[in-house]
Amino acid sequence: MKLVIIFGPQAVGKMTVGQELEKMTDLKLFHNHMTIELVNPFFEYGTPAGNRLVSLFRDEIFKEVAASEQAGLIFTYVWAFDLPGDWNYIEHVSQIFESKGGTVYYVELEAELNARLDRNKSPHRLLHKPTKRNTEHSEAELLRTKDKYRLNSAEGEITKENYLRINNTTLSPEEVASLIKETFQIA
């Protein structure tokens, strides 16, 4: 059982890289917006009810996959490194898989701001993330969180054995997915 956590700031390419990695491996993609988009018609993400439901659905899916005979999961996440709760969440998710004998791989993506701003408006992103279709709002949120949180780790901050950091400003999603697959020898 494998869990690949792909993390980085908004519009860095986590979902798209995850989709390519899913094509190349036996892992299933569970990008973070799958639960956000499910809950959003009832409770906006960021509200107490919305956050609780998103967390509940994610946890149940993680537990079922970790206990199954599936090869594993690719999960995407925006990790704010200055928030202890985000560190705790990553540890919680990792523990679900490790407690069942699984291996967790941590992949951090980073990209130049201009590339992220362009990606924020891409038709592919907007197709899969309806809550991002108000591009003025999503761009303002991207810029606000860039200034409010630290969304990429500091040098040496992540000490996990299975950790890879990739600047994908000029790399295609296929190239990044291939690099992940080869580095961690994921079938």
Side-chain angles (χ1 to χ4, degrees):
M1 175 62 59
K2 295 173 175 57
L3 172 65
V4 178
I5 303 174
I6 302 175
F7 56 94
Q10 299 100 320
V12 76
K14 299 177 296 293
M15 177 191 69
T16 310
V17 167
Q19 288 168 330
E20 293 303 321
L21 186 60
E22 181 180 41
K23 291 176 190 174
M24 298 176 183
T25 67
D26 292 331
L27 305 178
K28 301 290 184 192
L29 175 63
F30 183 34
H31 70 79
N32 63 333
H33 266 266
M34 294 169 89
T35 48
I36 292 170
E37 302 301 339
L38 172 67
V39 169
N40 192 66
F42 310 101
F43 299 100
E44 187 175 333
Y45 187 62
T47 64
N51 291 349
R52 187 183 74 74
L53 288 170
V54 165
S55 181
L56 178 70
F57 282 120
R58 288 179 184 173
D59 269 8
E60 291 303 312
I61 291 170
F62 292 143
K63 290 173 187 173
E64 289 299 324
V65 171
S68 76
E69 296 297 317
Q70 294 185 33
L73 202 62
I74 304 159
F75 178 62
T76 67
Y77 187 68
V78 176
W79 182 350
F81 288 91
D82 42 357
L83 294 180
D86 281 13
W87 284 87
N88 294 339
Y89 183 71
I90 292 294
E91 189 57 37
H92 166 73
V93 172
S94 299
Q95 185 56 39
I96 290 171
F97 285 82
E98 291 171 343
S99 72
K100 299 291 185 183
T103 304
V104 182
Y105 303 90
Y106 303 87
V107 179
E108 181 173 4
L109 299 181
E110 62 181 337
E112 300 295 325
L113 179 60
N114 286 338
R116 292 176 47 221
L117 289 170
D118 287 343
R119 292 171 187 172
N120 186 58
K121 298 177 228 166
S122 77
H124 183 75
R125 176 178 170 85
L126 301 179
L127 173 69
H128 293 281
K129 299 179 179 183
T131 56
K132 298 295 184 183
R133 290 179 185 158
N134 178 342
T135 55
E136 283 183 21
H137 180 267
S138 66
E139 182 172 306
E141 181 68 9
L142 186 154
L143 294 170
R144 184 187 71 77
T145 57
K146 175 189 76 67
D147 293 334
K148 185 174 181 178
Y149 302 109
R150 188 166 54 84
L151 300 177
N152 279 114
S153 68
E155 184 73 30
E157 186 172 18
I158 298 180
T159 58
K160 302 286 188 182
E161 179 182 348
N162 297 314
Y163 168 69
L164 177 63
R165 184 176 186 145
I166 303 169
N167 185 317
N168 67 331
T169 301
T170 61
L171 298 175
S172 72
E174 297 84 4
E175 289 172 308
V176 176
S178 290
L179 183 58
I180 296 165
K181 179 181 172 157
E182 292 168 17
T183 299
F184 295 129
Q185 297 297 296
I186 299 172

